[in-house]
Amino acid sequence: MSSSPITQPPEGGNGSDAAFESSHERVPGNVESGESNAEHHEQGDSDDAGYVYHPAQEHADSAEGENDDEDHDYDDEDEHNDEDDEDDEDYFDGSGGLEFELVIDELAPGAHDDEEDDDDEAGNALQRRILQIISGGGGRAHLGSQQLLALIQGHHMGDIDDDDNYWEPPRRMRPGYVPAFPKVPSEQGRKLMESGVFGAFDLREPESKKKRLTRRLLDRELGLGDRTEQKTNLALMAQQMIPSSKPEMVIHYDDPVCCGQFSDDGNFFYACVKDFKVRMYDTSNPYNWKHYNTVRYPFGQWTLTDADLSPDNKWLAYTSLTSQVCFAPTDPNDTGDPYTLDLAGGMVRQGWRDAFPIFSIRFSGDGRTLVAGTGADSIVVYDIERREPLYNVEGHDNDVNAVCFADKQSPHILYSGSDDCTIKVWDTRSMSSRREAGAFVGHMEGLTYIDSKGDGRYILSNAKDQSMKLWDLRMAMSTAKVEELDATRPTARRRYQYDYRFAEYHDYMWQPHPHDNSLVTFRGHKVQRTLIRCHFSPPGSTNSRYVYSGSYDGFVYVWNLDATIAAKIDVKSVTEGLRIPGYTPATTRREWMTLVRDVGWHPNAPLLVASSWNGPTMNAGTATLHSYNENDVDEAEPGMGLSVNEKIQPDEGLFNWRGLRGFVDDDDDDFF
């Protein structure tokens, strides 16, 4: 956001550990070298994940960055500081103020200090400036970070505004302080569950007395009940078949997986990987995949950022941190090369190497246009047939990380989510006015992803304030209302700056938005390091019952509409050490890490695929296939827990999820 700029982290990190996006920052200033800002800013060592940049450390950090041998382990430093904090007098008061006790030693009259003879006048002046900003009793005062920095540097503070937003709050909160988290279960969410909009709901069946799946299968086979009851029984069966943590298959990649989704009919799955390649799989049999094609993005920068299938499933559009969109045919018999379209349309902004980076791309319902969210704070609507941009609207105050259409059947209403913490509603028939049709506010940090239910009404969003929210188009604020309430002020004037790429988000940082117009807020997952995605569960395989998201902690979170957690799928534990023989944290001296960035739920079968980053430095990736299964073993072929390479081939360097080569049969024998 323009009023709350992200400051640059210290250089000198390990590029293999970098995050994907360059959110909050402009893409390059160094045109000649071709170095993108995303590449420059996100090459931080994962050991520095707990580090938050502070102006007072600017010179020290830059000096440390020149010598890799002198780099600090900020995680260890945090642990040390946490212990030291036990005796500190500092605490966070919940309102954005830093309170501390300042003790000034004064010399007794007539006393003399030989070492300070030449500094008496300067010292007295400094004491006067300190006393000038102290108010109230007990020696406690409120200082903004710019005032504190001026105090340390000995500058005059009279003209410095204390309402700045460049400091990070301390770790410790006031004793007894409880963040105002939304109530769980959500009453509004419960009403939505009972309304039938998000799947069948049997009011006659209390939660504590729900029928087991086996009983519902028996009712189906016996044909019990009338036609309506049988239909409800099938829907409730689908709701109960949530995939488990036990993997059917683990596909390994040499680089982190950016995203992966099924086609609407479930016959196709794509995986976009950081190496600028997209792998395509035939999933007509969802339990027996076949790799049939790999396509590359030419001249990509840093990573692939997004992909989307055309409505007829014939073309896959995928993007990188440039203004070029690449199109590849999905037909196995089509051997043609991918082609690219430039969404900048010849427009070149000063300071951009390739006009702008693209963070999100979506086809319209009729397949004739594309909408893109860019790092130029803009939404681009592009006519594919005419091969020219229709609109390029700078509709946000920061990067547009996500876009989507409200209805798959309509090309008119679309949404955009930005790092300025807002979701805006646009009508393509009036975008020439460059004014949004409405807006949603409620997130206190930037948006990472938005997903439409496809009914023209409900939308889901993920954000860096570690929350996911459900919205109703009918509750969107008009532009006039946003201006009247000054609804963006709470996020534009935050008293701290959180950088999701490197820092932890602490509970005391949570603040409710005073003008929040969302329906339900979901919490529990961690949105850190990269733009983690969320989705509505499909109507075919889940009866539209759930919402779900990836997470930085290596889990897939599945929620009911009332914000209670329906399931947590553990991806971290089933991928740990599969590529490293004898892996333990002791042998590598680094903890195994897994970050689930995207999750694709099959439209017809009870299974999902988690696209992840893995490893001690998260420089590799996996796509793990999880299905509904109540047992550790399966009589079907192939067996559960199979580890394969990107072409679905066994590899002697890979291990199954039990630590044995190949996959396991009922007798626990390992074989390929």
Side-chain angles (χ1 to χ4, degrees):
M1 293 178 293
S2 58
S3 62
S4 179
I6 287 291
T7 47
Q8 187 175 7
E11 301 176 11
N14 183 355
S16 66
D17 298 342
F20 279 2
E21 293 75 26
S22 61
S23 299
H24 297 284
E25 287 287 354
R26 295 290 185 259
V27 173
N30 191 348
V31 174
E32 295 180 1
S33 67
E35 177 187 8
S36 74
N37 191 60
E39 296 171 82
H40 177 72
H41 281 278
E42 304 221 2
Q43 294 178 356
D45 190 60
S46 62
D47 280 349
D48 300 341
Y51 174 73
V52 176
Y53 174 79
H54 192 284
Q57 296 178 341
E58 177 179 3
H59 302 296
D61 287 343
S62 60
E64 290 172 359
E66 295 175 0
N67 190 342
D68 292 338
D69 294 335
E70 297 178 3
D71 286 344
H72 287 286
D73 187 336
Y74 293 99
D75 291 335
D76 294 340
E77 186 176 273
D78 284 346
E79 294 176 5
H80 174 71
N81 290 340
D82 286 338
E83 297 174 359
D84 293 343
D85 283 348
E86 294 299 324
D87 299 325
D88 289 347
E89 294 295 331
D90 302 351
Y91 63 88
F92 183 64
D93 65 359
S95 62
L98 177 65
E99 298 190 6
F100 62 93
E101 184 172 359
L102 183 63
V103 179
I104 302 175
D105 293 329
E106 298 189 57
L107 294 175
H112 184 71
D113 191 337
D114 293 337
E115 294 179 1
E116 297 183 358
D117 283 342
D118 299 333
D119 297 328
D120 283 346
E121 183 176 351
N124 291 334
L126 177 59
Q127 286 190 11
R128 286 196 297 273
R129 287 199 297 271
I130 294 172
L131 294 173
Q132 181 182 5
I133 61 173
I134 295 180
S135 59
R140 294 189 179 275
H142 293 270
L143 274 74
S145 61
Q146 292 187 23
Q147 287 185 331
L148 183 59
L149 183 60
L151 173 64
I152 295 171
Q153 296 177 344
H155 300 316
H156 192 273
M157 294 176 292
D159 298 328
I160 296 178
D161 180 12
D162 66 350
D163 191 19
D164 57 70
N165 54 6
Y166 291 93
W167 63 275
E168 187 200 7
R171 292 182 184 83
R172 201 159 56 123
M173 65 188 83
R174 184 191 298 272
Y177 171 75
V178 179
F181 293 132
K183 180 183 177 181
V184 178
S186 164
E187 294 180 2
Q188 184 62 46
R190 184 69 179 184
K191 292 178 182 178
L192 289 173
M193 292 173 64
E194 296 176 359
S195 69
V197 176
F198 288 88
F201 189 86
D202 193 346
L203 293 171
R204 302 169 302 176
E205 191 173 274
E207 292 287 333
S208 60
K209 296 184 179 180
K210 277 192 172 182
K211 291 182 180 179
R212 294 177 60 87
L213 181 60
T214 51
R215 175 58 188 272
R216 294 196 180 281
L217 287 169
L218 179 61
D219 291 350
R220 184 192 67 176
E221 295 303 312
L222 296 176
L224 299 181
D226 58 25
R227 190 170 185 178
T228 301
E229 290 176 332
Q230 291 177 6
K231 184 177 180 180
T232 300
N233 186 58
L234 290 174
L236 295 174
M237 284 174 55
Q239 295 177 12
Q240 291 181 250
M241 298 170 66
I242 300 177
S244 66
S245 296
K246 310 175 189 74
E248 293 283 341
M249 178 173 62
V250 182
I251 307 174
H252 296 268
Y253 304 90
D254 292 334
D255 293 274
V257 183
C258 164
C259 58
Q261 288 294 319
F262 288 98
S263 60
D264 288 340
D265 59 9
N267 292 329
F268 173 84
F269 182 86
Y270 64 84
C272 295
V273 186
K274 189 184 175 185
D275 61 2
F276 304 109
K277 295 178 181 179
V278 182
R279 280 75 172 179
M280 300 183 183
Y281 300 95
D282 178 358
T283 57
S284 53
N285 181 344
Y287 299 95
N288 188 11
W289 290 25
K290 297 178 181 178
H291 171 269
Y292 70 87
N293 197 14
T294 296
V295 293
R296 183 175 178 83
Y297 184 101
F299 312 113
Q301 290 191 24
W302 187 237
T303 182
L304 294 181
T305 55
D306 199 12
D308 192 40
L309 279 167
S310 61
D312 59 7
N313 291 338
K314 292 183 178 180
W315 294 93
L316 179 71
Y318 50 107
T319 59
S320 182
L321 293 172
T322 74
S323 60
Q324 307 283 331
V325 179
C326 198
F327 294 84
T330 61
D331 187 345
N333 298 318
D334 190 333
T335 58
D337 294 329
Y339 72 93
T340 59
L341 295 177
D342 187 1
L343 267 59
M347 298 179 292
V348 178
R349 288 164 50 96
Q350 184 177 2
W352 298 100
R353 179 186 179 191
D354 292 304
F356 47 70
I358 295 176
F359 292 118
S360 181
I361 192 76
R362 288 294 177 270
F363 278 99
S364 63
D366 58 10
R368 296 180 179 178
T369 57
L370 287 171
V371 61
T374 79
D377 311 343
S378 67
I379 303 96
V380 177
V381 180
Y382 189 90
D383 190 313
I384 299 175
E385 294 180 350
R386 294 162 56 184
R387 299 200 174 190
E388 64 181 16
L390 300 176
Y391 307 104
N392 189 337
V393 180
E394 293 188 20
H396 287 274
D397 296 327
N398 213 317
D399 295 342
V400 181
N401 292 327
V403 293
C404 68
F405 283 92
D407 188 345
K408 293 183 178 181
Q409 306 304 319
S410 172
H412 301 305
I413 306 300
L414 60 91
Y415 305 110
S416 59
S418 169
D419 271 328
D420 66 10
C421 308
T422 65
I423 301 173
K424 293 189 176 181
V425 186
W426 305 87
D427 190 331
T428 57
R429 294 164 293 190
S430 60
M431 287 190 75
S432 57
S433 67
R434 298 184 176 272
R435 287 179 66 85
E436 65 272 17
F440 296 105
V441 296
H443 283 298
M444 295 298 291
E445 296 288 344
L447 278 291
T448 65
Y449 195 76
I450 56 178
D451 184 43
S452 172
K453 190 173 183 290
D455 58 0
R457 180 171 169 181
Y458 293 104
I459 181 175
L460 194 67
S461 64
N462 235 5
K464 301 167 188 174
D465 59 8
Q466 315 304 301
S467 72
M468 185 173 72
K469 287 181 177 288
L470 178 69
W471 316 80
D472 188 334
L473 180 60
R474 300 175 300 175
M475 297 179 64
M477 286 187 186
S478 65
T479 304
K481 189 68 172 179
V482 172
E483 295 174 352
E484 176 188 346
L485 297 175
D486 196 6
T488 59
R489 178 184 174 88
T491 54
R493 299 180 66 85
R494 285 170 295 179
R495 301 278 308 201
Y496 65 88
Q497 184 58 66
Y498 167 66
D499 191 332
Y500 79 116
R501 296 170 297 176
F502 309 104
E504 284 288 334
Y505 192 93
H506 304 283
D507 283 349
Y508 62 75
M509 301 171 72
W510 171 273
Q511 292 290 333
H513 196 294
H515 306 296
D516 188 350
N517 58 339
S518 64
L519 291 174
V520 186
T521 300
F522 307 86
R523 299 187 68 257
H525 62 317
K526 303 184 73 172
V527 185
Q528 295 175 217
R529 185 73 181 268
T530 184
L531 302 179
I532 291 176
R533 303 180 169 207
C534 61
H535 301 278
F536 290 96
S537 67
S541 55
T542 69
N543 194 227
S544 302
R545 174 67 174 224
Y546 308 107
V547 291
Y548 61 98
S549 172
S551 179
Y552 175 75
D553 60 11
F555 286 85
V556 176
Y557 285 77
V558 182
W559 289 271
N560 295 302
L561 265 293
D562 63 359
T564 57
I565 294 179
K568 285 176 62 176
I569 300 171
D570 188 353
V571 180
K572 178 180 179 179
S573 65
V574 302
T575 58
E576 183 171 351
L578 296 188
R579 304 188 69 169
I580 306 175
Y583 165 80
T584 64
T587 58
T588 61
R589 291 183 294 180
R590 304 191 72 165
E591 178 187 1
W592 182 273
M593 300 182 69
T594 294
L595 179 159
V596 181
R597 191 176 191 271
D598 194 16
V599 186
W601 205 314
H602 195 281
N604 305 312
L607 59 85
L608 57 77
V609 177
S611 299
S612 308
W613 305 3
N614 307 98
T617 58
M618 290 201 295
N619 59 351
T622 58
T624 53
L625 178 62
H626 302 262
S627 69
Y628 172 77
N629 201 316
E630 296 179 340
N631 298 311
D632 291 342
V633 294
D634 196 335
E635 296 178 355
E637 294 293 341
M640 293 182 65
L642 177 65
S643 276
V644 295
N645 61 23
E646 64 184 54
K647 295 185 178 180
I648 318 296
Q649 298 171 341
D651 191 310
E652 292 186 358
L654 303 177
F655 292 73
N656 78 338
W657 67 286
R658 287 184 174 179
L660 303 174
R661 294 184 183 277
F663 53 84
V664 182
D665 65 3
D666 292 343
D667 297 325
D668 288 346
D669 295 326
D670 55 307
F671 58 96
F672 283 101

